[in-house]
Structure formats: structure tokens, C-alpha cells
Amino acid sequence: MDKSCSTNDDSYLYIVEKFGKKKISSRYEWLYTMMEEFLRIKKIQDDVFVSSDILNHVVIDYFVDIDRLKMFQNIQKTHESKIYAYLAFWLLRHKPLQLKKGDNAEQVAFVNEEFVCDLITGYLFSEPENCAILNNQREVVDNFIGTLLYYFKYRDYSAKNIELIILAFQAGRGYQYSVDRQ
């Protein structure tokens, strides 16, 4: 976590005590590194930067939500779908990718939504790894990704419905696997 993070604030000290500074810092570093890599790959690092202060808020708000979920739903270990959904929600809500200057604003206006879309699809397409999409299915997959990005840009979203999107995708994959094996 960024050194300037105010984890000394008594209201969130319990989060550090519950999850540990190492886990919180690790989540922050993981996100920060992915965001920097995303900006580099998109070649927009001259136009956009990762706001450490805002990313600190994302991480703290994420852990507050996860703590509440664990308590209310009696969860011991958080499922990956919840991790990605709640991170996605707070990334979209706080928008830690910020414009440096207005010169290229039109091209990078939805950079946070694009990052989150990449984050979610990267997770969804990670198993099995390096699976080529068949040409006759490319349009369906591209439509899903395009609609997901559109949804993040223009629709109302919540962590719960982002989680449902993730679970629905995984269920569809499970169903298709079952069909293919019969």
C-alpha cells in the first residue's frame, strides 16, 4: 500500500487487524502493477496515471465489503468471483486511473472501464489458459466483451450484479463442457 495511506485512521484500523497489512499491501501492489502494465500496453502512460490515493480508497473499500460479506454470509474463504466482482465495483466507482492532461481526453475517457473489462475478461478466460477461440465463435465472445465494456460505461452496476455476470459466464462454460462430454 502507498506510504501515504491513512491506515492509522481508527475507523479502518480493524481492517488491517483482520486482514493484515501484508495482505492489504499485496492487493494494492497487484492492482497497481496491473494498471501500470495496462497503461504501458495501451501506450497511454503519457496521458493517464494511477492515483495512489484513489487506489488506496479502492483497496480499503474492497476489504471493508469483503469483511462485511464474510460476517453476514458466514464465509471463511472468499471465492474468486467475489474478489473480482468487488474489486471491479470499487475500481469503477473510484476511478483510480486519472488523466494527466486533456490533450487525449476523448481517447482515454473510459480508461477505468476498459481496465476493469480487461481485468474481468482476463479472469474469465484464464482457465483453461491459452485456449484459442474458434473462428465461428469469435463474434459471440467479442459481443460479450463489447457488451461488458458498454455495461461498465453506461449502465448501473453493483458488485452483486458484476458477480452474477462472472458466475453466469462460468456456468455457461460448465454447461458447454457438459454438453461437449456427452
Side-chain angles (χ1 to χ4, degrees), residues 33-179:
T33 300
M34 276 196 305
M35 292 175 145
E36 287 284 320
E37 181 71 4
F38 173 82
L39 297 177
R40 187 187 63 71
I41 288 169
K42 296 276 190 182
K43 295 180 173 66
I44 55 173
Q45 66 271 32
D46 291 337
D47 300 314
V48 179
F49 72 99
V50 180
S51 169
S52 295
D53 292 336
I54 297 173
L55 187 57
N56 282 332
H57 286 285
V58 167
V59 172
I60 292 300
D61 287 342
Y62 160 79
F63 277 106
V64 167
D65 272 358
I66 293 300
D67 181 52
R68 288 179 184 150
L69 281 171
K70 285 182 158 191
M71 186 173 53
F72 289 126
Q73 297 178 2
N74 198 23
I75 297 171
Q76 298 300 319
K77 186 173 176 3
T78 309
H79 191 273
E80 280 190 329
S81 62
K82 283 192 188 313
I83 293 170
Y84 278 86
Y86 281 81
L87 280 174
F89 173 76
W90 287 111
L91 288 164
L92 290 167
R93 185 76 175 264
H94 289 310
K95 301 187 183 315
L97 295 174
Q98 296 286 303
L99 302 184
K100 289 182 182 179
K101 53 190 177 192
D103 297 349
N104 199 20
E106 196 171 305
Q107 282 75 26
V108 293
F110 293 107
V111 67
N112 287 282
E113 292 79 0
E114 290 175 21
F115 173 76
V116 171
C117 189
D118 278 7
L119 176 72
I120 297 294
T121 56
Y123 168 62
L124 292 175
F125 297 135
S126 65
E127 289 201 21
E129 281 188 55
N130 301 321
C131 179
I133 306 297
L134 299 175
N135 285 337
N136 65 347
Q137 295 302 306
R138 172 60 58 195
E139 186 177 337
V140 174
V141 173
D142 289 347
N143 184 46
F144 170 76
I145 295 168
T147 303
L148 187 64
L149 179 57
Y150 181 88
Y151 181 75
F152 291 151
K153 286 179 179 180
Y154 303 113
R155 297 290 182 243
D156 292 331
Y157 51 81
S158 70
K160 292 177 231 170
N161 60 27
I162 295 170
E163 182 181 12
L164 187 59
I165 291 167
I166 292 169
L167 292 174
F169 185 92
Q170 291 171 331
R173 182 171 39 206
Y175 178 80
Q176 187 62 52
Y177 180 84
S178 299
V179 167

